[in-house]
Amino acid sequence: YFLSHDAFYTENKDGDVVGCFYVKPNFPGRSSHICNAGFIVSHRHRGGAIGRFMAEQYVRIAPDLGYEASFFNLVYVTNVASIRIWRTMGFTEIGVVPQAGLLKGKDGKDEYVDAIQFYKKF
């Protein structure tokens, strides 16, 4: 799935992969001009602005790939870093999906959490 569309990675100065992301159409057919992306930051490199760097590259690259807008379907409210990035980069919050995902809480128990939907026209 990850490599079925455009995929990118970033390295640190030692050549270690510290993060990666993919870009793909969010919807097929008539709405394929709207893209989606997924991001992964190495656990030991979190908090080092890798996510922001990749988000900035995503916003630059996606239009070059022919996309006109971005739509994130489910950004879980527990993903504070991602929410901060999209808000500060001018993405619009267009909705909340209640109890969108069953995730492990800090206590180790599964719990449903809400998700925010973000949109940005390029």
Side-chain angles (χ1 to χ4, degrees):
Y1 178 82
F2 190 89
L3 295 175
S4 64
H5 296 284
D6 295 293
F8 306 89
Y9 69 94
T10 186
E11 299 176 340
N12 64 12
K13 62 183 179 189
D14 298 323
D16 300 322
V17 174
V18 296
C20 55
F21 69 98
Y22 66 83
V23 182
K24 68 176 193 67
N26 194 43
F27 306 103
R30 294 180 178 151
S31 297
S32 62
H33 62 286
I34 301 171
C35 66
N36 182 287
F39 298 81
I40 301 170
V41 176
S42 165
H43 185 71
R44 67 184 190 147
H45 292 96
R46 291 183 183 169
I50 304 299
R52 171 159 301 277
F53 172 77
M54 291 191 302
E56 291 168 351
Q57 300 314 304
Y58 163 67
V59 170
R60 184 182 63 79
I61 291 169
D64 290 342
L65 295 173
Y67 296 106
E68 297 176 20
S70 173
F71 179 58
F72 294 117
N73 306 311
L74 300 171
V75 180
Y76 296 115
V77 296
T78 54
N79 191 342
V80 177
S82 183
I83 292 169
R84 182 174 39 251
I85 289 169
W86 303 128
R87 283 178 176 163
T88 61
M89 290 185 66
F91 280 69
T92 302
E93 295 178 41
I94 61 171
V96 174
V97 180
Q99 299 184 339
L102 185 61
L103 305 178
K104 280 209 183 311
K106 292 183 180 189
D107 60 2
K109 294 181 182 177
D110 290 342
E111 62 184 3
Y112 285 104
V113 298
D114 295 350
I116 301 170
Q117 296 179 319
F118 285 96
Y119 175 84
K120 183 176 183 75
K121 182 167 178 50
F122 296 130

